[in-house]
Amino acid sequence: MLLPQVVNKSLMGKLRDRVILVTGASRGIGRAIARAVAEEGARVIINYKSSAREAEELMLELRKNGLDAAIVRADVSREDEVRSMFELIRRDYGALHGIVNNAGHGSATIWNRGFHELTWNDFEEVINVDLKGTFLCSKFGIELMGDGGSIVNVASITARTGDTTGIPYLIAKSGIIALTKSMALSLAPRIRVNAVVLGSIETGWVNWLGSDEVRKLISYIPMGRLGKPEEVARAVVFLLSDDSSFITGHTVVIDGGECTACD
Ligand SMILES: NC(=O)c1ccc[n+]([C@@H]2O[C@H](COP(=O)([O-])OP(=O)(O)OC[C@H]3O[C@@H](n4cnc5c(N)ncnc54)[C@H](OP(=O)(O)O)[C@@H]3O)[C@@H](O)[C@H]2O)c1
């Protein structure tokens, strides 16, 4: 379902009238990004795969506040579904100005496997959503960015450090950082491409861990707490907007200082 609605009250926003797709926006960080983007005056398109109810609730909440929002279902790991999603966007909006490649696999089972327990299938599952999804949405999306645009990819600090678990995930996120730089070089000057590199942000995964593990994790974060999805959303709005007009091919680390010694 894609139901654009021109009811935007945010006449002064940094993203006024821009059409922006946020993938994986039904929950977590994507949801906060979609909300922030709409509040800045954009016509936001909320992509989801399974959480139809949550996506629809967000769309209705935004519309109730006079903002412009629509939802579209597509599994970003499937080329046929991504192609159809962009055909709908072309049909209903005619253009696109921004993409936030946020959808992430997020499986606790795969995350907890150490190197010796991993199968290649585990790699494929994660890489297909995070990396292939980012590639596919960018590839089809840029065809609608005739007036130029900005792409923001979502990566993770684990891509810079390596780890004993979550290996398929950090491989996918490393690929996203390399893809970000390569796309920035290939698409300049018309389209800017940057990534946000996230530390521990408070979303559903916190429920997988016991409170002791969360406390231990927080002890590594100089800011002494987890990040909030809204704090990521503010940086993403900056990268989508003209405030970052000379920034491309770079990463913005949002981690409360956790990765100060990564490089
Ligand atoms: N939270 C953190 O601490 C953290 C740290 C570093 C990086 N990140 C990255 O930030 C992004 C968001 O993370 P989060 O914590 O908000 O995750 P989350 O709460 O698990 O939400 C994941 C979102 O991705 C969507 N999604 C999953 N598979 C999809 C697919 N095949 N096609 C389309 N959408 C799909 C889900 O939609 P449905 O429910 O509709 O399927 C959901 O909206 C991810 O890329 C994640 O890797 C997060």
Side-chain angles (χ1 to χ4, degrees), residues 23-31 47-52 54-55 74-78 101-106 128-130 154-158 169 173 176 197-205 208 229:
T23 70
S26 51
R27 297 183 286 115
I29 295 166
R31 191 177 179 89
N47 159 260
Y48 69 98
K49 187 185 109 184
S50 316
S51 306
E54 287 85 345
D75 178 341
V76 297
S77 69
R78 293 200 39 181
N101 285 307
N102 164 79
H105 184 275
N128 281 348
V129 178
D130 291 63
V154 178
S156 162
I157 57 171
T158 54
Y169 172 80
K173 295 305 193 189
I176 287 175
V197 178
L198 310 183
S200 300
I201 311 297
E202 193 167 354
T203 60
W205 64 268
W208 309 345

Side-chain angles (χ1 to χ4, degrees), residues 44-202:
V44 71
I45 303 167
I46 298 160
N47 159 260
Y48 69 98
K49 187 185 109 184
S50 316
S51 306
R53 188 174 49 80
E54 287 85 345
E56 199 163 328
E57 267 171 18
L58 176 62
M59 176 184 74
L60 294 176
E61 173 210 304
L62 296 175
R63 287 184 176 185
K64 207 169 134 205
N65 292 329
L67 304 174
D68 190 328
I71 57 176
V72 60
R73 203 207 83 84
D75 178 341
V76 297
S77 69
R78 293 200 39 181
E79 185 160 355
D80 55 339
E81 295 194 13
V82 173
R83 182 184 285 111
S84 303
M85 173 168 71
F86 283 99
E87 277 166 8
L88 283 176
I89 294 172
R90 184 189 292 280
R91 185 196 72 189
D92 290 348
Y93 294 86
L96 188 66
H97 308 98
I99 305 171
V100 184
N101 285 307
N102 164 79
H105 184 275
S107 151
T109 322
I110 296 178
W111 180 269
N112 289 329
R113 279 186 195 140
F115 180 78
H116 297 289
E117 299 157 287
L118 284 172
T119 64
W120 183 246
N121 194 45
D122 295 332
F123 279 85
E124 280 188 347
E125 257 196 58
V126 179
I127 286 172
N128 281 348
V129 178
D130 291 63
L131 182 55
K132 182 180 170 191
T134 297
F135 169 73
L136 289 176
C137 290
S138 303
K139 184 175 157 59
F140 287 105
I142 59 173
E143 290 174 17
L144 292 176
M145 289 185 163
D147 299 335
S150 171
I151 297 175
V152 182
N153 298 326
V154 178
S156 162
I157 57 171
T158 54
R160 304 171 85 174
T161 56
D163 210 335
T164 52
T165 59
I167 296 167
Y169 172 80
L170 65 92
I171 299 298
K173 295 305 193 189
S174 301
I176 287 175
I177 293 173
L179 183 63
T180 299
K181 292 172 193 279
S182 305
M183 281 180 7
L185 296 173
S186 306
L187 303 176
R190 211 167 49 82
I191 297 169
R192 296 184 298 107
V193 188
N194 293 288
V196 286
V197 178
L198 310 183
S200 300
I201 311 297
E202 193 167 354

